[in-house]
Every structure is written in C-alpha cells, then in structure tokens.
Amino acid sequence: MQLVRGLHNLRPRHRGCVATIGNFDGVHRGHQAILARLRERAAELGVPSCVVIFEPQPREFFTPHSAPARLTRLREKLQLLEEQGIDMVLCLAFNRRLRELSAAEFVHATLVEGLGVRHLEVGDDFRFGCDRAGDFDFLVQAGAVEGFTVEAARTIEVAGERVSSTRLRQVLAAGDLSLAEKLLGRSFSITGRVMHGQALGRELGAPTANIQLKRKNVPLSGVFMVSTEVDGRPQAAVANIGMRPSVTSDGNPHLEVHLLDYQGDLYGRLLRVTFHRKLRDEQRFASLEALRTAIEADIAAAREYWRASPSTTSQD
C-alpha cells in the first residue's frame, strides 16, 4: 500500500482510481463494508483503490480539548487499511487552508485534479467542505459534470444498531469488549512503543512495559486482561490504562502492561496490546501498600483467566 501525504505529493501516476473519504477511525465493520465495495469497484474498473483521510481528524482541529478519544492512531489506521487490501492512502493535513475550501473547491482540487477519481464510495450522511456545505447529493451532481460516479455505502448493523466509531467508543467506555469485538470484527488493540517510566511497578514487585500513547484521552480505562506478542510468541498479560489516580499524575493517560512471568528487555519495542476482558475500574488507593495488594490480586486473577485460555501462554 502506498501512502501519499498531501495533494502536492500526488503525481500523474496516481490519477485514475476509485476512492472513499473519511476518518476511518477504528476501521470497524462499517468501514470494512465500504472498503470491500471499494475493492470490488476498483477490480471492475481495473484501477487502484484509494482512501482519503485527514490528520488531525477534523474535530481534533476544531475542538482539540473535547474531541472524541482516538480509536486508532495514524500508524494503526494505515496498517489496518493495508490489511483490508487498499492500494493507496491520501493523507491530507486538516488545517485552516483545507477547512476554508468550499465543497466545490475540495471536489475539484482533490477528486478531479488530484486523483482523477473514476468512482466515489461514501456514506449517504457524508458532509464536507467549508461549513460542511457539501453532501451526498452535491457529490452526485458534481460527478455528473466531472465524469465520476458516486455510490452510497450500505449501513452495517450489529444488535439492531448502526456500527459507527461513536457507538464503538461508547461500548469501549462501558468495558464491553465482547460487543466491541463484534463491531470491529476483531479484538480491540492499542499499539505503541515501550518507553521508560517511573519504575513504580518494579518497586511494587510487578514490572510493567509502559506503552507510549501519544494521545490526550483514551477510549477505555481500567484494569484488563490483555495479550501481546514478543519474538513471535503470544504473551499473556494484565494491563492498567488510564490516569493512575494512586500516583502523581502528569495529566496524560498511561498504558502499563505486566507480562506474566516474562523476563527480558522490551524498551524501544513496538507492541500491540490486545484487550480481552475488563477486570475492574481504576481506583485510588490510600497507600502504596494498598496499591501493591490490589496489583497482586489483579495478577492472580489474570493468571486464573489465562490458565483457561490455552491459545495465549506465559513464558517461563
């Protein structure tokens, strides 16, 4: 899969494709249905498939302090799009200049001049352009003039409700990982690099891999049964994600993962942490000794949980 950052990096070889536009945060089953149809149309027309995304996501630009929690960082999103068989991603910087483009200017600059789009696949509630003036009907009319077709993506429902990134955030916040897996078509995971932390876990007898989150808020919090992979081997673990109310806070969320019985240096490694079951909410403990007792109980519960899950093992 090819990543193109910005319209200025598009070349004549990139013209002529089928495309879709959106945040694709989470790349959930609703997104996957759009991408499947995109691949079908690309095969029918004999052209590449292209996904147009934005960084930052529009609501992060307009309201950075109250924007919804990210389900996937850019690195994770690109990997998921590649796994869906997409040929190219055009990543546009969402800034003041892009925000002020009219719907007509966006269509001409991006879809016509930039990508030479043959077919566009979008949701029927898609809005774009300055003040969100552009909509599905606008695209259909523009396509008739500019020579590309437009199709509305079908809605995917799970348990009688539309699959969306908003619903997925609600489900994750509630700790319902089973339903989240149904909405995603896979278990929810977070990928990040292991960084040096305060070494408090080691002091408490439970050393942790501190995963760099690079985000101001997270879609779920608490203590979870998780797994990861180290050197090609599945590794059972327990993790805390959130604001760590029992220790001095820096105002940012943290993901700390204790790998059961693991001995080794993980600093600098990129780990994907997969969430399986919520154990409890975060809580504030009156002392480090009380925190130590709670951590020991969490690890014991994790061992019992993973003992019944032979597909993921701990390393002796």
Side-chain angles (χ1 to χ4, degrees), residues 6-286:
L7 289 176
H8 62 285
N9 283 319
L10 286 173
R11 300 292 181 264
R13 67 178 182 275
H14 298 130
R15 289 179 52 81
C17 65
V18 298
T20 185
I21 310 170
N23 290 322
F24 287 86
D25 192 19
V27 193
H28 52 63
R29 287 184 58 195
H31 295 144
Q32 292 164 29
I34 295 175
L35 299 175
R37 182 58 182 156
L38 197 69
R39 293 195 306 270
E40 290 175 6
R41 293 293 284 145
E44 290 169 4
L45 296 173
V47 296
S49 57
C50 176
V51 175
V52 181
I53 59 174
F54 306 96
E55 282 292 328
Q57 294 178 169
R59 288 186 64 181
E60 294 169 343
F61 174 82
F62 289 113
T63 56
H65 299 296
S66 60
R70 277 268 186 138
L71 299 170
T72 45
R73 286 173 50 199
L74 178 60
R75 178 197 294 271
E76 297 167 292
K77 186 186 300 185
L78 293 174
Q79 182 175 349
L80 290 167
L81 290 173
E82 185 171 23
E83 290 171 1
Q84 290 292 313
I86 298 305
D87 298 310
M88 181 173 73
V89 171
L90 172 62
C91 183
L92 300 178
F94 198 95
N95 50 28
R96 186 173 299 278
R97 181 180 179 184
L98 183 62
R99 178 255 180 274
E100 291 175 352
L101 286 180
S102 69
E105 289 170 333
F106 179 84
V107 167
H108 184 74
T110 304
L111 303 183
V112 179
E113 292 296 321
L115 290 171
V117 165
R118 299 271 303 278
H119 175 78
L120 188 65
E121 193 83 16
V122 293
D124 58 9
D125 59 349
F126 178 68
R127 304 299 294 257
F128 69 102
C130 186
D131 299 323
R132 293 167 56 84
D135 58 13
F136 181 80
D137 290 337
F138 181 92
L139 286 170
V140 171
Q141 295 170 17
V145 173
E146 299 287 0
F148 62 86
T149 56
V150 184
E151 185 175 11
R154 65 188 182 94
T155 297
I156 301 297
E157 292 188 352
V158 169
E161 292 187 47
R162 177 176 175 267
V163 178
S164 68
S165 299
T166 298
R167 186 183 178 208
L168 183 53
R169 291 187 190 96
Q170 295 168 345
V171 168
L172 288 170
D176 190 345
L177 293 172
S178 176
L179 181 52
E181 183 172 353
K182 293 176 183 176
L183 300 178
L184 285 166
R186 64 183 187 278
S187 297
F188 178 73
S189 65
I190 291 177
T191 300
R193 199 165 297 281
V194 180
M195 308 295 289
H196 287 277
Q198 296 176 328
L200 181 60
R202 188 173 301 278
E203 180 183 334
L204 295 172
T208 59
N210 299 281
I211 308 298
Q212 187 180 39
L213 290 176
K214 287 188 176 180
R215 56 184 96 190
K216 288 296 184 183
N217 53 12
V218 287
L220 74 178
S221 65
V223 178
F224 293 84
M225 312 300 188
V226 303
S227 64
T228 187
E229 188 175 283
V230 179
D231 297 329
R233 293 184 60 183
Q235 179 68 50
V238 60
N240 185 95
I241 183 169
M243 304 304 291
R244 305 186 303 177
S246 296
V247 300
T248 302
S249 173
D250 60 4
N252 295 314
H254 292 261
L255 172 57
E256 299 172 310
V257 183
H258 175 69
L259 285 68
L260 301 183
D261 305 313
Y262 178 78
Q263 301 292 327
D265 185 0
L266 295 174
Y267 290 120
R269 292 204 187 193
L270 196 67
L271 292 185
R272 174 184 287 186
V273 180
T274 301
F275 292 76
H276 298 278
R277 181 180 175 184
K278 185 168 185 176
L279 179 58
R280 62 173 175 85
D281 290 330
E282 278 197 303
Q283 36 186 136
R284 183 181 182 85
F285 295 96

